[in-house]
């Protein structure tokens, strides 16, 4: 018996829109992805930012405050202390600030009793007041070295819940470079000397006994030629500073763990989350480093400090 042919009896000769070749589609896909990748990178923090100090012709020492965990909007936040630190930065020449995260309280439903019920204004208002009261006056005077972004934390709740980038919302349109969590912020003096600090909000490792463990581990594993002058982190609401000298180095490496304005004032409400952890009172803000650039044969000197008062005395000296 003869077998029937299996070839179909229909053939497409026209369509609207017309079918395009696979080569054309692949080309469009690649071009689209390249453009979208550029847009994605535009919205991300930088790995490294270099900021040149323009008004220091004699290369005088400068001070950098590592400021974090304002938690603006929380009922436990100490606004008077926030304004004191802001005014100190604004009123003193050669004093700058790194914003190390959790500038606002944010809102998240899973922490109803410790966050949502203790935050009387919404996120939009938090961002507005942060900009009006702190970011705009500091940025207008060229005081902000940079802001850390993309970390697990209170602004991160907003990003996870809405896909809105809260760091761009906070810093957009202002002279505030945004860096990644664990990025490098560099101050360049007019002499050409560069001072780099690696900054996290939450460092890659934590310890109940040593606030600086995560920072130290990263820096010790970094070769001497690539190691920044120091590092800083925040998040844990505990203050600590240290200096260490490593083999082959020509200066010390410093570490800073920044405190908070939330629940650190005994005359203000406590942070309910900290109470439930059984933690003691949070530790206050005001940590930073005094940077003395090299001059002649003298090497650079970097002096971390644990409080604003300590930093003021050494900076004036």
């Amino acid at each position: 018996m003869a077998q029937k042919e299996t070839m179909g009896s229909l053939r497409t000769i026209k369509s609207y829109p017309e079918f395009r070749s696979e080569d054309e589609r692949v080309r469009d896909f690649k071009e689209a992805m390249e453009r979208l990748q550029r847009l994605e990178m535009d919205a991300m923090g930088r790995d490294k930012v270099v900021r040149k100090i323009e008004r220091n012709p004699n290369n005088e020492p400068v001070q950098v405050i590592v400021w974090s965990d304002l938690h603006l909007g929380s009922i436990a936040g100490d606004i008077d202390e926030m304004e004191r630190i802001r005014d100190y930065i604004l009123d003193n020449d050669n004093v700058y600030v790194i914003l190390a995260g959790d500038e606002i309280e944010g809102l998240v439903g899973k922490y109803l009793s410790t966050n949502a019920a203790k935050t009387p204004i919404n996120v939009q208002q938090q961002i507005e007041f942060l900009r009006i009261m702190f970011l705009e006056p500091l940025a207008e005077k060229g005081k902000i070295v940079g802001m850390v972004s993309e970390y697990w934390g209170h602004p991160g709740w907003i990003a996870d819940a809405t896909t809105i980038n809260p760091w761009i919302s906070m810093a957009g349109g202002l002279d505030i470079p945004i860096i990644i969590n664990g990025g490098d912020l560099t101050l360049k003096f007019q002499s050409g000397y560069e001072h780099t600090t690696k900054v996290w909000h939450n460092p890659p490792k934590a310890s109940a006994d040593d606030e600086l463990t995560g920072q130290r581990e990263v820096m010790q594993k970094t070769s001497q030629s690539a190691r920044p002058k120091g590092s800083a982190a925040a998040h844990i609401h505990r203050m600590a500073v240290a200096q260490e000298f490593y083999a082959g180095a020509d200066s010390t490496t410093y570490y800073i763990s920044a405190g908070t304005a939330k629940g650190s004032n005994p005359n203000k409400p406590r942070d309910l989350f900290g109470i439930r952890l059984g933690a003691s009172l949070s530790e206050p803000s005001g940590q930073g480093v005094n940077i003395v650039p090299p001059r002649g044969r003298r090497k650079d000197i970097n002096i971390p400090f644990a409080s604003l008062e300590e930093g003021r005395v050494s900076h004036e000296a």
Side-chain angles (χ1 to χ4, degrees):
M1 178 184 292
Q3 293 186 355
K4 296 180 179 180
E5 293 184 3
T6 58
M7 183 180 295
S9 59
L10 295 176
R11 179 169 62 91
T12 300
I13 59 173
K14 284 188 178 182
S15 67
Y16 299 96
E18 292 185 357
F19 288 109
R20 298 188 307 134
S21 70
E22 290 183 350
D23 287 343
E24 289 176 308
R25 295 175 61 218
V26 168
R27 184 186 64 243
D28 284 354
F29 169 70
K30 291 174 64 178
E31 289 179 358
M33 288 302 294
E34 287 175 2
R35 292 175 184 272
L36 290 169
Q37 286 169 345
R38 289 198 294 269
L39 288 172
E40 179 68 12
M41 292 184 69
D42 289 341
M44 296 179 69
R46 308 294 96 178
D47 295 339
K48 179 173 182 176
V49 169
V50 180
R51 302 277 274 165
K52 186 176 181 180
I53 303 174
E54 297 286 356
R55 299 176 183 175
N56 188 358
N58 297 319
N59 293 294
E60 297 174 353
V62 304
Q63 182 178 103
V64 178
I65 306 295
V66 180
W67 202 15
S68 72
D69 295 283
L70 284 70
H71 292 280
L72 187 69
S74 169
I75 201 70
D78 187 346
I79 293 179
D80 291 339
E81 178 65 9
M82 298 179 207
E83 292 183 324
R84 184 178 79 93
I85 294 175
R86 177 203 62 193
D87 292 344
Y88 172 81
I89 298 166
L90 290 172
D91 294 342
N92 288 279
D93 293 337
N94 296 330
V95 174
Y96 302 93
V97 62
I98 293 172
L99 299 169
D102 279 359
E103 291 81 15
I104 59 173
E105 175 66 8
L107 284 170
V108 65
K110 69 177 180 178
Y111 296 135
L112 178 61
S113 63
T114 58
N115 167 253
K118 305 300 179 183
T119 309
I121 61 173
N122 62 38
V123 171
Q124 179 62 38
Q125 291 172 317
Q126 293 174 41
I127 292 174
E128 288 177 3
F129 286 119
L130 178 73
R131 287 177 63 97
I132 294 168
M133 297 172 65
F134 300 100
L135 301 189
E136 290 176 2
L138 288 167
E140 285 172 3
K141 290 194 70 172
K143 290 287 191 173
I144 301 176
V145 183
M147 171 186 276
V148 180
S149 68
E150 294 296 344
Y151 49 82
W152 301 113
H154 291 240
W157 296 339
I158 303 162
D160 288 343
T162 65
T163 73
I164 291 172
N165 187 316
W167 298 282
I168 291 180
S169 297
M170 288 187 283
L174 302 176
D175 184 20
I176 304 176
I178 299 174
I179 66 164
I180 62 171
N181 191 40
D184 292 341
L185 286 171
T186 299
L187 280 177
K188 184 172 183 177
F189 288 70
Q190 292 191 3
S191 64
Y193 169 72
E194 294 188 359
H195 181 101
T196 299
T197 306
K198 181 173 287 293
V199 186
W200 294 268
H201 176 66
N202 47 341
K205 184 177 181 181
S207 168
D209 303 312
D210 183 358
E211 294 85 352
L212 305 171
T213 293
Q215 299 181 55
R216 183 180 291 110
E217 201 165 281
V218 171
M219 298 286 273
Q220 287 179 341
K221 291 179 179 178
T222 304
S223 64
Q224 173 58 33
S225 60
R227 185 184 298 135
K229 296 294 184 180
S231 69
H235 182 61
I236 58 176
H237 296 188
R238 289 160 59 195
M239 175 275 295
V241 297
Q243 280 182 296
E244 297 179 356
F245 194 87
Y246 299 125
D250 56 6
S251 61
T252 59
T253 299
Y254 63 84
Y255 302 104
I256 299 169
S257 175
T260 180
K262 180 183 180 182
S264 55
N265 185 337
N267 299 315
K268 302 284 185 181
R270 288 284 301 274
D271 176 10
L272 185 57
F273 190 79
I275 292 175
R276 291 186 176 179
L277 289 174
S280 58
L281 201 69
S282 301
E283 297 174 358
S285 303
Q287 295 70 46
V289 60
N290 285 316
I291 303 165
V292 184
R295 179 170 294 177
R297 296 182 179 180
R298 176 181 57 73
K299 300 291 185 179
D300 58 336
I301 304 171
N302 306 308
I303 310 166
F305 51 85
S307 69
L308 213 59
E309 289 69 28
E310 179 185 344
R312 180 190 289 110
V313 170
S314 60
H315 184 56
E316 290 175 354

